[in-house]
Amino acid sequence: AQIPLRHDPNRRSAPLTAQQERIAFMQELHPERVTYNAPSAHRLEGPLDPALLLTAVRLMVQRQAVLRTAIRGESGSYEQVVSDHVDVEMPVIDLSGIPEPEQATELMRQMQRIVDRPMDLKVAPLFRCALYRLSEGLHVFLFMPHHIIWDGWSFDLLYEELAACLDIAHAKKTAALPAIRATYLDYAFWQQEWMGSVFYAAMLQEWTERIARCPEVSELPTDVPRGASMSGAGDSAWVYIDSATVQSMREISRVAGVTLNMLCLGLYAAMLGMLCRSQSLTIGVPVRGRIFPEIEPVMGFFNNLLPLPLNVERGRSVVDFLGNVKTELIQSLRFQEIPFERLAAQPSMLIRARRTGLYQALFSFQDVRDRDRKWGSIRQSNVLILQKGATEDLGLWLMDGPKGLEGGLNYNADVYKPDTVQAMRDLYLEIVQRFVAEPNMLMQTLLDADSYSAMGRLRHLESRPDTQIAAPQDARRSRRPFSETERRLAGIWADLLGIPIDLVQPEDNFFDLGGDSLRAMEVIARMRRETGKAVNPRVLVFESLAQLAGSYDSLEVEPPVEAKAPSGFLSRFLRGGR
């Protein structure tokens, strides 16, 4: 990484990382949404003392600084602050008196109430937990952190930490767990220093040029044309592949020289290629981002996203295509330290993203076979719980566990109907079964849409018009003249949206014109950089250009950004820093 990670045991605050900045910005735009609530539920079988579990949770919170973290400030000057101590509550809800047929339904209803409640990022801790008693020796533990402090690897750490802390609580001992030699605050300062280095600048340029050379991709067809103001509502079609099939897939992967992760990703790309009728695809793939050994045991949001370009050519074997998936993934991993948010903010990438974004869909894979299934004398297993939110139009997530592959096809409920996504799920499962039965087939055989029964339920997508947001029509161009402030702000909007300024009217809303969260971040930054005035990002959601301009003139010019308190990604961007 060229820049060392430096641990300071006295750190109590730090700028947000680039990854956190976008989430904080989105939460500021839509504080009522629960898109970034990340629930997990755990079935606990065996004798359990709720007081001991609460003690274990509190021990874990004292070890992991991110569980005592709050996000303070506003767009352009966020910081994360760690308290020495936070109050941790774990309500215990007794459902043992409910008959078994209704018990599971009531359990899910009760947990969903917690999951569906927004979280205030300014108040630590940024997680909730609860314990549900189903019978004498059976409980369900709900743990729900906010994504701004959490990633997939942190769930693996949760298993290890709670198992160890339960042992300590049960034995009433103070035996020390292995020391944690770094914190997320250390990582945030490292990232800030690294993004100011020549190493970062060279890598960002290389990564940007590599993506720019890839063919532009087609937009995935949707049930409903993309509207301007997305609600953030989402749902999942559950995916399950039995252990026998997974074992066959694992063996095929071994022979082909790829991992099961790469195989599942490749078959997902094949499905997407059939849906958008294009051989050029880009899939967003999360990566762990833990590049230092010191942060392996640290809970936090280290994940990064790689836009992975793939070419679904028909004239080669599926095994050869999977080899290409492997090559592209390995080559892209060289750039995993570049925050996706910084890549997306490059001018050439903003232009590229105006039509379809930098990727069409997400794919996430976790190997959870080695997770500790025993917490002391308690047997632990997962309970699938719904996360009602979607950050993207479509995303497949899979967990490789002892029972096979489990996961879901998550979707944006504003543009997809449940029946459509269930058909996509079934199509993916058909593709898996066909490949397992004949792993040496050609891509043109695998991509023969007419041979899949689930495609019959997706034919309606073929007749849908282009789903991008249409530019305003010429008939709307008659308008009153811009005021000076309106013209200045309209120029910023038009530049970032890639449309002529004449297509912006005073009554237009930024998101109605096709804006998204990344461009909204840049709009706020540009407006602040060029005028010295800061506005609440939520005005982009609720106000027209005229309304915004009307209040803009009364705002005071802020002191120079350099004179402000610790700042994060956006304020560094404002200063032009790399």
Side-chain angles (χ1 to χ4, degrees):
Q2 297 93 22
I3 303 292
L5 180 73
R6 300 179 179 90
H7 174 50
D8 182 350
N10 297 316
R11 291 195 207 276
R12 291 295 180 271
S13 65
L16 267 61
T17 61
Q19 296 94 313
Q20 288 178 308
E21 279 282 353
R22 184 183 183 188
I23 292 183
F25 183 85
M26 288 300 296
Q27 200 73 45
E28 195 171 352
L29 279 179
H30 304 287
E32 76 287 352
R33 292 186 183 177
V34 296
T35 307
Y36 294 106
N37 288 357
S40 68
H42 312 269
R43 180 184 177 92
L44 307 179
E45 298 179 67
L48 174 66
D49 181 348
L52 286 181
L53 179 59
L54 178 56
T55 298
V57 172
R58 288 172 172 169
L59 285 171
M60 179 179 69
V61 170
Q62 285 306 117
R63 277 176 52 77
Q64 297 284 351
V66 79
L67 296 179
R68 292 177 276 114
T69 294
I71 309 300
R72 306 285 165 78
E74 59 187 15
S75 177
S77 58
Y78 298 115
E79 65 174 342
Q80 48 193 319
V81 180
V82 175
S83 301
D84 290 334
H85 175 81
V86 296
D87 293 326
V88 178
E89 302 298 330
M90 185 187 72
V92 180
I93 300 97
D94 190 350
L95 304 179
S96 61
I98 300 176
E100 191 169 330
E102 293 86 27
Q103 193 181 64
T105 301
E106 179 61 18
L107 170 65
M108 295 306 297
R109 189 185 72 82
Q110 293 261 3
M111 291 196 296
Q112 205 67 53
R113 285 173 57 188
I114 294 178
V115 173
D116 292 344
R117 197 166 78 243
M119 200 175 292
D120 184 355
L121 297 186
K122 296 181 177 65
V123 181
L126 297 183
F127 72 88
R128 300 188 188 116
C129 61
L131 184 68
Y132 302 87
R133 183 177 185 270
L134 304 185
S135 65
E136 181 64 29
L138 181 60
H139 296 76
V140 170
F141 174 62
L142 175 68
F143 184 81
M144 192 199 69
H146 195 282
H147 190 26
I148 202 166
I149 62 162
W150 203 258
D151 60 16
W153 184 255
S154 296
F155 278 120
D156 289 273
L157 296 175
L158 174 72
Y159 283 68
E160 298 175 9
E161 294 269 314
L162 275 185
C165 290
L166 263 175
D167 283 343
I168 293 174
H170 188 266
K172 297 181 180 179
K173 59 184 180 181
T174 58
L177 291 168
I180 296 178
R181 297 180 291 128
T183 67
Y184 194 76
L185 302 182
D186 296 328
Y187 173 76
F189 272 103
W190 168 82
Q191 189 189 71
Q192 183 182 55
E193 183 180 5
W194 182 68
M195 289 195 302
S197 71
V198 294
F199 311 110
Y200 166 80
M203 187 180 289
L204 176 60
Q205 181 176 351
E206 183 183 355
W207 188 215
T208 303
E209 291 174 353
R210 178 180 171 85
I211 296 296
R213 287 195 298 269
C214 297
E216 291 199 16
V217 297
S218 301
E219 193 167 19
L220 287 175
T222 57
D223 286 307
V224 180
R226 171 171 286 281
S229 300
M230 296 288 99
S231 71
D235 210 333
S236 288
W238 296 117
V239 175
Y240 173 68
I241 302 175
D242 64 85
S243 56
T245 301
V246 172
Q247 186 55 41
S248 297
M249 295 168 70
R250 213 181 299 279
E251 178 59 24
I252 294 169
S253 300
R254 186 189 64 79
V255 173
V258 299
T259 64
L260 180 61
N261 179 354
M262 296 169 186
L263 171 59
C264 293
L265 170 59
L267 298 184
Y268 181 52
M271 183 195 79
L272 295 176
M274 279 193 280
L275 293 177
C276 66
R277 296 187 176 276
S278 171
Q279 69 178 33
S280 296
L281 300 165
T282 301
I283 299 177
V285 179
V287 290
R288 290 177 62 241
R290 293 170 185 262
I291 59 176
F292 296 103
E294 300 97 307
I295 59 178
E296 285 290 324
V298 177
M299 292 177 176
F301 180 27
F302 297 93
N303 265 14
N304 193 19
L305 191 74
L306 293 177
L308 184 69
L310 297 173
N311 199 339
V312 189
E313 297 179 32
R314 292 177 172 267
R316 57 178 170 178
S317 71
V318 181
V319 170
D320 183 44
F321 167 66
L322 294 175
N324 177 253
V325 172
K326 177 180 179 178
T327 299
E328 289 292 339
L329 184 57
I330 291 174
Q331 290 180 354
S332 296
L333 284 171
R334 295 193 297 114
F335 305 99
Q336 64 177 305
E337 297 160 59
I338 299 291
F340 173 76
E341 291 74 13
R342 295 306 293 264
L343 170 70
Q346 296 303 296
S348 62
M349 295 296 100
L350 284 168
I351 294 171
R352 185 183 180 89
R354 281 169 182 164
R355 177 176 171 82
T356 59
L358 293 186
Y359 56 88
Q360 294 146 305
L362 285 177
F363 175 82
S364 176
F365 185 98
Q366 273 188 285
D367 187 345
V368 300
R369 290 173 295 165
D370 293 335
R371 281 182 175 174
D372 192 352
R373 305 290 161 179
K374 295 282 286 185
W375 292 0
S377 60
I378 299 168
R379 175 73 178 172
Q380 184 276 143
S381 58
N382 288 100
V383 177
L384 291 178
I385 183 169
L386 176 65
Q387 204 286 329
K388 288 187 177 179
T391 58
E392 314 294 340
D393 285 352
L394 202 64
L396 175 65
W397 59 273
L398 295 171
M399 293 193 301
D400 183 11
K403 297 180 181 178
L405 286 170
E406 295 181 284
L409 191 58
N410 191 246
Y411 64 94
N412 178 350
D414 289 321
V415 298
Y416 283 116
K417 297 177 181 178
D419 288 349
T420 297
V421 180
Q422 288 163 12
M424 291 180 183
R425 182 266 319 274
D426 294 344
L427 175 60
Y428 180 71
L429 296 178
E430 281 191 73
I431 291 171
V432 168
Q433 293 296 336
R434 172 164 296 188
F435 177 67
V436 168
E438 190 182 344
N440 295 318
M441 70 169 62
L442 295 176
M443 285 295 290
Q444 62 187 17
T445 304
L446 186 71
L447 296 172
D448 180 11
D450 293 334
S451 62
Y452 296 100
S453 61
M455 278 299 294
R457 294 146 58 199
L458 295 167
R459 295 297 184 193
H460 64 285
L461 296 179
E462 297 177 0
S463 60
R464 279 229 56 85
D466 192 338
T467 56
Q468 75 173 109
I469 300 175
Q473 299 299 311
D474 291 341
R476 300 177 62 237
R477 294 312 93 206
S478 58
R479 56 166 168 78
R480 63 168 175 77
F482 279 137
S483 69
E484 181 179 348
T485 302
E486 286 173 347
R487 175 166 291 281
R488 191 173 190 180
L489 299 182
I492 296 173
W493 287 18
D495 183 49
L496 290 171
L497 293 170
I499 60 177
I501 191 172
D502 290 344
L503 292 184
V504 181
Q505 294 204 42
E507 64 268 23
D508 284 332
N509 172 273
F510 177 75
F511 287 96
D512 289 341
L513 289 172
D516 55 30
S517 61
L518 281 172
R519 279 174 281 195
M521 290 177 71
E522 174 61 355
V523 160
I524 295 295
R526 283 271 298 272
M527 288 164 56
R528 190 174 186 178
R529 181 171 67 241
E530 296 182 15
T531 68
K533 298 180 179 182
V535 298
N536 188 316
R538 285 175 64 77
V539 299
L540 294 180
V541 178
F542 297 109
E543 294 189 1
S544 67
L545 177 70
Q547 290 171 321
L548 175 58
S551 58
Y552 207 75
D553 289 329
S554 63
L555 294 174
E556 294 184 3
V557 175
E558 288 192 334
V561 175
E562 288 81 357
K564 292 177 68 64
S567 57
F569 159 64
L570 279 179
S571 53
R572 293 195 300 276
F573 191 89
L574 294 179
R575 297 196 298 267
R578 290 188 176 276

